[in-house]
Structure formats: C-alpha cells, structure tokens
Amino acid sequence: MAALSRSRRRPKLILGSNNESSSSSSSEDEEEELEEDPIVEQDVIEDKRDDRWNGKRGFLSEEKVGKKTSGITISLKKVCKVCKEEGHQAGFQGATYIDCPKKPCFLCKMPGHTTMSCPHRVALEHGVIPATRKNKQTPLDYVFERQVKSQVSKIKPTFVIPDKLDLVAVKFHSRRVTSLEFHSTRSNILLSGDKKGQIGIWDYSKPDEKTIYGSIHSCIVNNMKFDLRNDAMLYTASSDGTINHTDIETGISCCLMDLNPNGWNGPATWRMLYGMDTCLEKGLVLVADNFGYLYLLDSREKTQIADAILIHKKGSKVVGLHCNPSQPDLLLSCGNDHFAYMWDIRQLESGSSLVNLAHERVVNSAYFSPQTGSKILTTSQDNRIRVWDSIFGDLSQPSREIVHSHDFNRHLTPFRAEWDPKDPSESLAVIGRYISENYDGVALHPIDFIDTTTGRLVAEVIDTDLTTITPVNKLHPCDDILASGSSRSVLIWRPGSKFDGEDQQLERNKVVIYCNDGKKKHSKKIDDGSDEDDGCSSKGKNLQLKCNGKSGKTGSAKYKKTKS
C-alpha cells in the first residue's frame, strides 16, 4: 500500500510544482494535503536524500546531478533571545515585555511573577522602608548633626518638575549623546558630548544657532567638567585615553594627558578614561581608566602628580568619580567590579578605602548629595537605586533599595540617577527608564523623578512625539530646567504648570529644531533614529537629516513651532 501511495501521489506533486498556470488556491490545497498525509511527508524526506531531488522543481536529470550546488537551510523555529532555547520567545512586543519562562522577572530579578505584573512596576515604592532616625552615639555624629544636618530643610518643599518639552534639537549630533553639562556661570548654555568625540555648544535661548567642535577627541566623550578657575575652559575625558583642556569660545584644545602615546596596539593595552571630577580646594583634576587606576593632575600646572593608583580591581573599569561638596578630602568611586568605594584623598593608596559599598552588579554611578554631601546615591545594573542616608553611619547596608528599570543590553549610554542640585531636602533624583510603557497605544520611555526618602514616583515625564529612550539627563543647578540626550537629539524640558492672572493655563509652543542645512523632512514624531550601534530608537521613522559638525564653525538649523 505504501508503494502504491507513493506512485500515486508523487506525479501529482511534481506536476503541481511545475505547472505555472495553476491557481494559488489549488497549490494551497495540495500543500495542506501534503502536511496532513504522513506517508507523502516521509516520501518527500526520502526523496530529499536522493541527489536528483531539487525541491519544488522535482527531479534533476542525470547530467545535472553533478553540477548541483549545496543549498542554504533556513530555520524558522522560534528561539528565545534570553536563554537561546526553542519553543518560546522573550523581549519587547510593542510596549509589553514578555519574560523568559526560565528566568525571573526582568524588572526586580525575583521569581514568581512576570515583568508586567511586577508590584514594583505598579508602585515604585513597593518594599521601600524609610530608615529610622539614627541616635547620636559618637562625637562625629554630633558634629554632623550640628554643622552639616542643619543645612538640610526639615520641611520637604514642593517639588517643581520640568514636565513639558520646550525645545528639541533633532540630530544635534552625528552619533548618540553620551554626556551633558550646563555652563558654570552662563545659565542658558548647554554642552553635550557624543560617541564620535564631538562637543556641542548650544545657547538654547537662541535655538536656531549651535556650535560643534569635531576635532577635540577621536571617540566617546565620557565626562565633561568646567574649570572653576576659568569658566571659558572645559575639561573632557574620552575613551581615546586623553584629557583635553578646551576653550569653548574658540575650540582650541590642549591635551593634558595621553595614555596611548603609541597608538592602537590591541585591546589589552588600550586605556580609556571614564570617571572624572575636579576639586577646586585641592587644585586637582581626578580621572580614572578602564584598568582600575586613578590619575591626579595639578589643575594649575597642568601636569600629572605622582603615579597612577589602583583603586578598583585590576582590569576593571572605573566609570565614576565624585568629590564631596562639603568635605573635599572625600572621594567616591564606582566601577565594573560591583563596588563603590569612598577614599581619603590625603591618603590615597591601593586598598586604603574608607568604605566599601557592595552591589550585585556593575555600578553605573555614585554621587554624594549636592549640598551637604552627607548622603550617597548609587545606580547599579541590577535595576536598583541605592541610598545611604549618612556617610558617618553604618554603611554595611544601604538605607533603601528602590527597584527601577535601567538594566539594558548594549548600544546605550548607561542610566545614572542624579540628585536635583536645587532641592534643599536632598531627596529628589532623576533617571531615564528603559522598559517602555503603553500610553494610549504608543510605546514611550519616561524620565522618572523619584523621591529617594520614600521611593515614591513623583513624576514620569513624557512627550507623545518622543519615542526614543532617554538615558542621559541633567538638571539645571539654578533654573527649573531639565536637559536630556536621546539618541542624537538634545531636549530641553520646562515646568508646564504656568498660569496667568485669571488662573488659566498658558498654552506652550514646543520648538522643534531640525539641524540639516536647511532641508527638512516633516514628521510628527520626534524620532531621529539611531546610528549603527546605537539601538536607542524603540519605534518610529528615521529622519534623514544631517548636522554641521565642523570644528570651530557654527552649524545652521531650521526650526518650527508646534503646540504641545
């Protein structure tokens, strides 16, 4: 019977495959018939083993068998991107994140539920217990309470949130934005660095003008700090292993240190500079590299002081440095060895850290509180924001752990929770969010304002036209302004709750600037796409726009106003 079935069905299969004039419906019926008949399916498998079988074209002639080339096999099986196994898929589908069934919740890293039903996603303050007031037991605590704590407001003020998008410079940079810094004395000047090594200067009070210096660094600008002795000069640290001192008025740059004088000799010897800070009281510029070493430079002599000091695990990247604003002898560092350390600058030696703050994964940032320096705020890749309430207290465990979505895979600037420098209570922090949320059918990635004392989500800042992830955020030190870097664009946010004399909310016009030499492609979405390895764009069309990035020249920009 099997032989009769094969002889009866095989000519029908060959004929149907070669008849180009047959209808699509008849071919679909034949395919369904083949799928339902196990005998025919087994015969096809046996025929494929024959050298003469050529798929839908039937059997080859004897003279063409030797000329047949090997085919390409394409597997259409579903493979999970997380565990690399078949049968299921994990990841984003629109604004919904589907968890891998073999992994815990992507948000809180705990088993028993999915990301969409995670209690930390519904209520950010879930599980956060405010620390109790610590009793004064040592003379150091007494001095802290009398001299430092007195500067902190006992009544928490009303937070002013810049929640309305005011200015957007689409494709301000040619590659993704990696760092932002407000001018130290001129409040309307914003500086930005990108992955290509360019530095942009934007006076957002004159939004149609900008300046890009493209010859200062050859790759990622990881950090920027103003020279507090001369506000026209800027220190920059880059992954090309150099520290530059640049005049932002002329674009003339001076290299203070080059860790790769012999050029590229492979990744084992190439040094990149990440963490950087300045200490005016000590006259120092401090910078750290990707091998765990710290370098000290004299800001007046512009020369290196002593030798490099190993402050983290050898071979690990030191991504952040911060000097205490009220105690300049204290230095905070963080890195890829899952630790944040506090140091005494007067006694800097390997292994001489004052405090070791352990984390589960890589520590993206660590900052002292902006006014008193009595608190520490860290951001780790384990989706945790940690707060230590007193640097003079017990630092073996954090005072609070706040679950927040900022664990990303690659091609993004790391998320960093930063203090609001204007908040007298030293409790408000800002950070971008990785997991998207569904807002009326649109997948958006908010910028979160968090009350670190309770873990409560104060505000989530969004704009329906902004569909990209916003990992770089900087709050203005004096004005109620938030600057953000999203892919290659730079954004300015202002408070939207402004009222006139009749208590009627004022209508704000959003200014969208297209940096493209005058050629503009209209699109409702403020989505500039991403460069090849950026990955910041979650959804939307790319705008084919270009910015002038020539060193020392002012690029042209066209802009239009839209109602927010």
Side-chain angles (χ1 to χ4, degrees):
M1 292 296 294
L4 291 175
S5 177
R6 284 194 295 269
S7 62
R8 184 170 60 251
R9 291 183 179 271
R10 186 175 295 155
K12 182 180 180 181
L13 176 63
I14 298 173
L15 180 61
S17 301
N18 293 330
N19 189 5
E20 295 179 356
S21 62
S22 60
S23 63
S24 60
S25 60
S26 61
S27 63
E28 290 176 359
D29 295 337
E30 291 172 5
E31 291 176 0
E32 291 178 1
E33 185 179 359
L34 289 177
E35 292 175 358
E36 294 176 356
D37 193 340
I39 297 176
V40 176
E41 189 173 294
Q42 180 65 28
D43 292 343
V44 173
I45 294 175
E46 292 175 358
D47 290 336
K48 287 182 180 179
R49 295 172 185 169
D50 193 334
D51 292 336
R52 296 178 301 163
W53 179 255
N54 191 25
K56 291 185 177 181
R57 296 184 180 180
F59 288 89
L60 294 173
S61 59
E62 295 291 337
E63 58 270 17
K64 292 184 179 181
V65 171
K67 299 180 181 180
K68 194 188 80 161
T69 58
S70 59
I72 300 175
T73 303
I74 301 176
S75 176
L76 299 179
K77 296 181 180 179
K78 295 181 179 180
V79 179
C80 177
K81 297 180 180 179
V82 179
C83 66
K84 308 302 180 184
E85 295 187 6
E86 299 176 357
H88 63 275
Q89 288 182 317
F92 285 102
Q93 289 189 4
T96 303
Y97 183 83
I98 301 176
D99 292 272
C100 175
K102 298 186 178 182
K103 297 291 183 179
C105 170
F106 179 76
L107 178 57
C108 68
K109 314 299 182 186
M110 301 296 292
H113 59 267
T114 64
T115 300
M116 291 297 106
S117 62
C118 180
H120 296 279
R121 176 178 169 271
V122 179
L124 196 64
E125 65 273 15
H126 176 78
V128 178
I129 302 175
T132 58
R133 181 178 177 85
K134 186 171 65 67
N135 295 327
K136 298 182 289 293
Q137 297 177 348
T138 65
L140 192 58
D141 293 327
Y142 178 78
V143 172
F144 168 72
E145 291 289 338
R146 292 293 300 272
Q147 296 184 4
V148 180
K149 196 72 175 179
S150 59
Q151 302 177 28
V152 180
S153 175
K154 291 182 171 52
I155 300 177
K156 187 178 295 185
T158 302
F159 298 127
V160 180
I161 307 298
D163 54 355
K164 292 297 181 182
L165 193 54
D166 188 53
L167 293 172
V168 184
V170 178
K171 280 195 175 181
F172 188 90
H173 284 273
S174 59
R175 302 299 290 272
R176 61 178 164 91
V177 177
T178 56
S179 56
L180 293 172
E181 190 73 19
F182 283 100
H183 198 282
S184 57
T185 57
R186 299 174 61 184
S187 61
N188 57 336
I189 300 294
L190 176 66
L191 283 84
S192 55
D194 67 5
K195 184 181 177 180
K196 195 176 181 180
Q198 298 177 347
I199 294 178
I201 304 173
W202 187 26
D203 183 352
Y204 50 85
S205 64
K206 303 174 183 177
D208 56 338
E209 295 180 4
K210 72 181 183 70
T211 302
I212 294 288
Y213 296 127
S215 59
I216 297 177
H217 291 286
S218 60
C219 58
I220 307 175
V221 179
N222 293 311
N223 223 315
M224 300 185 294
K225 295 292 180 183
F226 271 96
D227 187 349
L228 298 180
R229 300 179 185 276
N230 184 358
D231 60 4
M233 304 301 292
L234 182 72
Y235 294 105
T236 54
S238 171
S239 291
D240 61 8
T242 63
I243 301 177
N244 283 358
H245 196 225
T246 305
D247 188 337
I248 63 174
E249 298 291 340
T250 61
I252 299 175
S253 182
C254 173
C255 182
L256 303 184
M257 183 174 68
D258 186 0
L259 299 182
N260 305 297
N262 299 323
W264 175 261
N265 293 313
T269 58
W270 184 263
R271 293 183 179 269
M272 298 179 283
L273 296 176
Y274 286 90
M276 183 180 67
D277 201 4
T278 58
C279 182
L280 179 62
E281 292 80 359
K282 300 287 183 180
L284 293 176
V285 177
L286 305 96
V287 66
D289 68 4
N290 60 322
F291 286 89
Y293 285 91
L294 173 72
Y295 304 85
L296 304 179
L297 283 79
D298 190 330
S299 61
R300 290 157 291 194
E301 299 294 332
K302 304 296 187 293
T303 56
Q304 183 177 346
I305 303 174
D307 297 328
I309 305 167
L310 183 66
I311 60 173
H312 279 253
K313 182 180 178 180
K314 190 173 183 180
S316 64
K317 185 190 302 181
V318 184
V319 297
L321 295 175
H322 190 219
C323 293
N324 193 294
S326 61
Q327 302 289 331
D329 294 326
L330 296 180
L331 173 67
L332 194 60
S333 66
C334 62
N336 284 15
D337 58 355
H338 302 185
F339 275 92
Y341 296 100
M342 188 161 60
W343 307 85
D344 189 341
I345 296 180
R346 298 168 295 184
Q347 301 174 352
L348 270 176
E349 296 179 359
S350 298
S352 64
S353 60
L354 302 177
V355 177
N356 304 340
L357 307 179
H359 294 70
E360 295 294 329
R361 289 182 60 189
V362 172
V363 188
N364 292 338
S365 64
Y367 297 108
F368 289 110
S369 53
Q371 299 187 22
T372 65
S374 60
K375 297 181 181 181
I376 294 177
L377 177 69
T378 63
T379 308
S380 177
Q381 279 292 101
D382 60 355
N383 276 347
R384 297 295 192 278
I385 298 173
R386 292 174 173 85
V387 184
W388 282 263
D389 280 331
S390 174
I391 62 174
F392 303 112
D394 181 14
L395 297 178
S396 59
Q397 295 293 330
S399 303
R400 283 171 303 287
E401 289 187 2
I402 304 170
V403 176
H404 182 267
S405 173
H406 50 259
D407 177 17
F408 65 96
N409 186 15
R410 61 177 67 181
H411 308 321
L412 275 178
T413 304
F415 294 84
R416 299 181 179 93
E418 296 192 13
W419 299 102
D420 183 359
K422 304 178 297 298
D423 177 25
S425 64
E426 296 184 326
S427 58
L428 186 63
V430 62
I431 182 174
R433 191 188 305 179
Y434 177 64
I435 292 182
S436 59
E437 299 291 342
N438 192 343
Y439 296 90
D440 297 329
V442 182
L444 303 178
H445 303 265
I447 303 171
D448 294 332
F449 284 81
I450 302 171
D451 186 350
T452 59
T453 58
T454 61
R456 181 176 64 90
L457 181 62
V458 178
E460 47 185 13
V461 176
I462 60 170
D463 188 277
T464 55
D465 294 337
L466 179 64
T467 59
T468 52
I469 303 173
T470 312
V472 186
N473 297 281
K474 178 72 68 172
L475 284 166
H476 198 283
C478 302
D479 301 331
D480 295 326
I481 291 176
L482 169 67
S484 301
S486 181
S487 188
R488 290 177 263 185
S489 300
V490 179
L491 307 92
I492 298 294
W493 306 78
R494 297 181 188 270
S497 57
K498 289 189 176 181
F499 298 88
D500 59 11
E502 299 179 355
D503 292 337
Q504 305 235 343
Q505 189 167 5
L506 297 175
E507 186 178 27
R508 180 181 294 279
N509 289 328
K510 177 170 57 184
V511 179
V512 182
I513 305 163
Y514 297 88
C515 309
N516 64 341
D517 292 334
K519 294 183 180 180
K520 179 172 58 178
K521 180 179 179 180
H522 296 278
S523 176
K524 181 180 179 182
K525 299 294 181 182
I526 305 171
D527 187 351
D528 58 354
S530 57
D531 45 2
E532 295 177 356
D533 56 349
D534 191 16
C536 287
S537 178
S538 61
K539 189 177 180 182
K541 299 179 180 179
N542 295 337
L543 300 180
Q544 302 298 326
L545 309 175
K546 295 182 179 180
C547 294
N548 286 342
K550 299 179 181 179
S551 176
K553 293 187 178 181
T554 301
S556 63
K558 301 296 181 180
Y559 67 96
K560 68 174 182 178
K561 293 185 179 180
T562 59
K563 293 184 179 180
S564 177

